[in-house]
Amino acid sequence: MSISITPAIYPTLDLLSAITPFASVAGQIDQQRALAQWLEDWIRTELGGVPVLAISEQTAQNAPPLVHMCIDRQAEKTLVLYNMYDVMPADDAGWEFPPFSGGVSEWPGVGEVFIARGAENNKGPLAGMLMALKSLCDSGKLSANIEIILEGEEETGSGQLRRYLAQDPCPVSTASAVFFPSLCEYGGGEPRVYLGFSGLSGGRLKVSGGKWGGPSAAIHASNANWIANPVWRLVAALNAIAPAHNSGVIARQVIDEEANRLLCALAAQFSITDELRFRRSETLSVSGDTLACLQQLINGAVMNISEIRSDPLESRGVIPRSASAEIALRVPPGIDGENLLAVIRQTLARPEFDGVELELDDSYPGHRFAHHSPGVDALLTSYELQDAKPQIWPWAPGCAPAYTFARVAPAFLIGGLGHGGNAHGVNEFVTLHGLERFQQSVTEWITLFSVEPPFSTPAV
């Protein structure tokens, strides 16, 4: 097999290859801290960045450090570049290369790819973002002040970042925009621009036996006629909160006129078949025309259940002493997530759910901003310069801590050309052509942003 790599992308691949071996997974604090320090050192050496919050000053033992660096150009505009260095867990099973080593391959119909954990989400874009900045610094063309914020908890709720930004005064300078560079040509399709993001509440429901008739310790299943099973109580509570026939949707909102106008334009070019070509069609719960399906995708607060477990595990012959379900409630901007959580707690307070507890790890609301907020037009132009036709969404069905930056800037944009895939899965990848497109689009976006006229319309 012969791999032909464009010379311009070699430095980015070298950087990506250097940060890939850090297993910066939740719970592996030593690996996360080591990568954060590596990135701080690289930004200081290669970009002339100055730490705002040095890694050495962050002494929390159980939290990955924040990387917060400043490149001061004494410019009129300030741009915050946000990204993440944490990734999901992975073992070697099924991977073409070990996930924390990585390698380049060629796939039929896809082209040359770099395969590794984080290649798409989000070490690949992180490397491209940093190399875009380096190209601008080296050429003397960086004409905006840059604040770089990299976190190690994006996959688990961004709790430390949100607490950091909530300080008074805020440690991040007031900026014209916050930009989260990511590969937005999903599945190789047209790139997306999201004008907002859903919020997220993550945690679990827990049921322990003893007080309400369940066993205080695991007991032989022959007693099932006499002794209640905590798993059944857990399932009943889940169904009361988010009925199964609604696929976990617990609230919907009417799409407003501005959002509906964007969805109508999107529906004219959007293909549900292409979007869902990697899913099994018989599992879908969509109906109606393309517009109706897009409305359904973004207007509902939905609870996902990723795991149900009992203690002890793998014991068919016992009634377990406890049960739990890992849950994630995704709430679009416009629906009050705190109110939904209050309703859930009211439901669990009913006598039939005695013993069922809601345990939240973290929670943040959705956030939305105006169509012509600063940076949006520059992002659209950066796509069009590479002959891409962007799709504009009123907000994303996915979650990002956009609201936490609302006190810093009027817009939080996720964007960038480039095609990757299998995020969180086996053989996560980014195409080499996509990585090159990505880096070029980020370079062009920063350049265009620097000359974009001042913003006057308030955020939504």
Side-chain angles (χ1 to χ4, degrees):
M1 178 179 61
S2 175
I3 301 294
S4 175
I5 300 175
T6 305
I9 209 67
Y10 268 119
T12 307
L13 272 180
D14 287 343
L15 178 55
L16 178 53
S17 297
I19 63 178
T20 291
F22 291 93
S24 50
V25 174
Q28 298 198 34
I29 297 298
D30 290 345
Q31 286 284 296
Q32 291 178 315
R33 179 170 287 275
L35 179 53
Q37 186 64 65
W38 194 98
L39 290 165
E40 181 185 272
D41 293 341
W42 191 95
I43 293 168
R44 182 191 290 111
T45 301
E46 301 294 334
L47 305 181
V50 176
V52 178
L53 177 68
I55 304 298
S56 59
E57 297 174 3
Q58 301 177 54
T59 58
Q61 298 300 310
N62 298 319
L66 291 170
V67 179
H68 184 186
M69 309 282 284
C70 177
I71 303 173
D72 188 357
R73 283 291 190 265
Q74 297 295 305
E76 293 185 6
K77 280 191 174 182
T78 295
L79 167 63
V80 175
L81 291 178
Y82 160 80
N83 224 300
M84 53 189 278
Y85 62 81
D86 58 320
V87 296
M88 296 297 282
D91 56 38
D92 290 357
W95 285 76
E96 188 170 336
F97 301 97
F100 291 103
S101 298
V104 175
S105 185
E106 184 168 5
W107 287 355
V110 178
E112 296 162 345
V113 295
F114 180 82
I115 302 165
R117 173 57 82 228
E120 181 190 33
N121 186 19
N122 221 54
K123 286 181 177 178
L126 172 57
M129 178 190 92
L130 293 175
M131 291 307 298
L133 276 176
K134 181 171 170 54
S135 70
L136 289 169
C137 288
D138 291 349
S139 64
K141 295 180 180 179
L142 181 61
S143 55
N145 306 317
I146 302 293
E147 292 211 30
I148 301 170
I149 298 180
L150 312 177
E151 67 156 320
E153 292 182 312
E154 197 278 341
E155 299 289 6
T156 55
S158 305
Q160 187 181 7
L161 172 68
R162 294 188 286 110
R163 289 186 290 273
Y164 181 63
L165 293 179
Q167 295 181 79
D168 196 10
C170 182
V172 180
S173 301
T174 300
S176 295
V178 179
F179 188 42
F180 181 8
S182 295
L183 302 169
C184 290
E185 289 181 299
Y186 301 102
E190 297 294 354
R192 298 182 183 182
V193 175
Y194 293 122
L195 303 178
F197 296 87
S198 298
L200 178 67
S201 297
R204 65 204 51 81
L205 285 189
K206 299 174 66 177
V207 187
S208 298
K211 296 181 180 179
W212 51 272
S216 56
I219 192 171
H220 198 282
S222 62
N223 295 286
N225 283 304
W226 287 349
I227 298 177
N229 188 320
V231 177
W232 284 119
R233 181 158 291 213
L234 174 67
V235 170
L238 288 168
N239 192 58
I241 292 168
H245 66 271
N246 287 337
S247 299
V249 176
I250 61 178
R252 289 200 182 276
Q253 63 180 333
V254 176
I255 300 290
D256 62 82
E257 182 178 348
E258 180 183 352
N260 218 39
R261 186 166 57 249
L262 291 171
L263 287 181
C264 286
L266 177 60
Q269 58 174 310
F270 190 83
S271 169
I272 295 176
T273 301
D274 288 346
E275 178 73 6
L276 301 175
R277 65 184 178 276
F278 298 121
R279 283 88 163 172
R280 291 170 58 85
S281 61
E282 63 266 32
T283 65
L284 303 183
S285 57
V286 296
S287 60
D289 59 19
T290 302
L291 176 60
C293 290
L294 289 170
Q295 291 170 331
Q296 180 181 347
L297 178 65
I298 72 167
N299 77 347
V302 60
M303 178 174 288
N304 183 61
I305 304 167
S306 59
E307 178 184 89
I308 296 178
R309 59 186 295 150
S310 62
D311 185 15
L313 286 170
E314 300 177 357
S315 297
R316 294 185 184 180
V318 303
I319 302 171
R321 61 175 172 262
S322 64
S324 64
E326 295 295 315
I327 60 173
L329 176 61
R330 298 172 182 270
V331 182
I335 295 181
D336 188 338
E338 287 300 315
N339 184 60
L340 294 182
L341 290 173
V343 172
I344 289 172
R345 290 189 176 98
Q346 285 181 335
T347 300
L348 297 179
R350 290 173 3 203
E352 66 264 36
F353 299 128
D354 183 30
V356 182
E357 299 176 82
L358 173 62
E359 183 180 89
L360 281 181
D361 294 331
D362 233 324
S363 182
Y364 61 81
H367 182 71
R368 183 181 174 191
F369 50 90
H371 187 181
H372 293 293
S373 296
V376 175
D377 289 341
L379 182 59
L380 295 173
T381 302
S382 73
Y383 291 166
E384 291 162 355
L385 286 173
Q386 295 193 58
D387 298 320
K389 298 178 180 179
Q391 299 176 354
I392 304 176
W393 293 62
W395 59 82
C399 304
Y403 93 96
T404 197
F405 285 103
R407 64 188 304 213
V408 172
F412 177 96
L413 293 167
I414 186 170
L417 295 180
H419 173 203
N422 297 337
H424 297 188
V426 173
N427 285 328
E428 183 176 353
F429 72 94
V430 57
T431 69
L432 300 193
H433 178 62
L435 192 57
E436 188 169 6
R437 281 168 62 80
F438 170 80
Q439 189 169 318
Q440 183 178 343
S441 70
V442 172
T443 303
E444 290 169 343
W445 186 89
I446 294 173
T447 302
L448 291 164
F449 165 84
S450 301
V451 298
E452 198 176 69
F455 177 64
S456 59
T457 304
V460 176

